[in-house]
Amino acid sequence: MKNKTERILNELIEKYPKLDYLEERLRNLIEKTVKSIRGNGKILVCGNGGSASDSEHIVGELLKKFYIDRPIEDDFKNNLRKNCNEYEYEYMSSNMEGAIPAISLVSQTTFLTAYGNDVNFDMIYAQQVYAYGNENDILIALSTSGNSSNVYYAAKAAKSKGMMVISLTGEDGGKLKSTSDILLNVPLDETYQVQEYHLPLYHFICRALEYEIFGG
């Protein structure tokens, strides 16, 4: 990892010393996720309740600037110039940012309600993983208990698609423990406390990925 990424990892551990046992897992996570992104992979994210909000939060940080400037790719700028007049080119190129491709599986309201009503609510995320997922992609699964059935089945679908599964859970890890490539199980079991520790973890992940991909 780059020096800046190591620095913010050290900052995370200094501020949240209870997470020190996750340090090597976080290094491994960043290394593998960067490799996936550079190989045209994308990130799918899902959770329920507060973890659904966290899913949206994560994707929001990945699709736009989080902490540092993100230039758009030169090839895209060249193609944009070919397809726009000068005003359009200047306007679009100055307002677009580099992005890490990510999809929140919780935001498809029409699909979620239709599939839950017509088929099975347990499968609302697994079905989307099947539709969107490819071998080089990553699923970030959030469940404070680790036992949310729709998240668990999404992880099973992801493994079946050859994807890497990263899970954020409470201390026990629940059912997600057995199906995760990287488990970030924070050392708490009260739902609100687990969520409070998930926030700095995924902020670190988003910030570290930004540095690795766009930091020069």
Side-chain angles (χ1 to χ4, degrees):
M1 295 195 305
K2 295 180 180 178
N3 290 337
K4 286 183 179 179
T5 306
E6 285 287 352
R7 176 172 56 80
I8 61 172
L9 177 56
N10 291 336
E11 289 174 0
L12 174 72
I13 301 304
E14 286 175 9
K15 190 169 184 180
Y16 301 94
K18 287 184 178 181
L19 300 179
D20 61 352
Y21 65 97
L22 296 178
E23 188 170 348
E24 284 306 313
R25 291 185 223 177
L26 289 167
R27 285 194 178 92
N28 187 32
L29 183 157
I30 297 303
E31 180 181 344
K32 289 183 175 180
T33 305
V34 168
K35 183 178 180 181
S36 169
I37 294 165
R38 288 180 173 156
N40 294 318
K42 60 184 174 296
I43 298 172
L44 309 181
V45 194
C46 66
N48 297 295
S51 295
S53 297
D54 288 332
S55 300
E56 298 276 21
H57 190 162
I58 291 168
V59 170
E61 305 292 17
L62 294 175
L63 290 181
K64 62 175 288 297
K65 175 182 175 179
F66 177 34
Y67 204 76
I68 62 173
D69 289 338
R70 301 181 180 187
I72 58 176
E73 296 173 352
D74 289 338
D75 286 347
F76 178 78
K77 288 181 73 172
N78 291 335
N79 288 333
L80 194 64
R81 187 180 289 278
K82 293 174 185 177
N83 287 286
C84 298
N85 62 40
E86 191 61 27
Y87 170 79
E88 292 168 338
Y89 169 77
E90 292 295 339
Y91 183 75
M92 291 184 69
S93 62
S94 64
N95 282 283
M96 296 183 72
E97 300 176 333
I100 295 170
I103 300 172
S104 169
L105 303 184
V106 311
S107 62
Q108 308 295 330
T109 306
T110 301
F111 166 78
L112 295 175
T113 53
Y115 206 82
N117 184 65
D118 298 345
V119 185
N120 192 322
F121 187 79
D122 276 350
M123 295 297 148
I124 58 171
Y125 298 142
Q127 178 65 21
Q128 291 183 82
V129 169
Y130 178 71
Y132 293 133
N134 294 306
E135 187 171 343
N136 197 39
D137 294 341
I138 292 170
L139 175 71
I140 297 179
L142 295 100
S143 171
T144 57
S145 67
N147 293 318
S148 300
S149 57
N150 54 9
V151 177
Y152 173 71
Y153 289 129
K156 286 290 188 178
K159 295 294 288 184
S160 301
K161 295 282 283 191
M163 298 166 59
M164 182 170 74
V165 176
I166 298 168
S167 296
L168 279 72
T169 72
E171 185 169 21
D172 178 70
K175 292 192 297 184
L176 282 172
K177 184 176 182 178
S178 65
T179 196
S180 301
D181 296 288
I182 300 175
L183 178 68
L184 302 180
N185 55 325
V186 303
L188 297 157
D189 54 19
E190 287 286 348
T191 297
Y192 77 94
Q193 292 177 325
V194 174
Q195 290 171 335
E196 287 173 352
Y197 268 70
H198 281 179
L199 175 64
L201 274 176
Y202 68 70
H203 268 171
F204 162 76
I205 293 167
C206 293
R207 190 176 173 193
L209 291 177
E210 184 175 62
Y211 273 130
E212 294 292 313
I213 300 296
F214 300 104

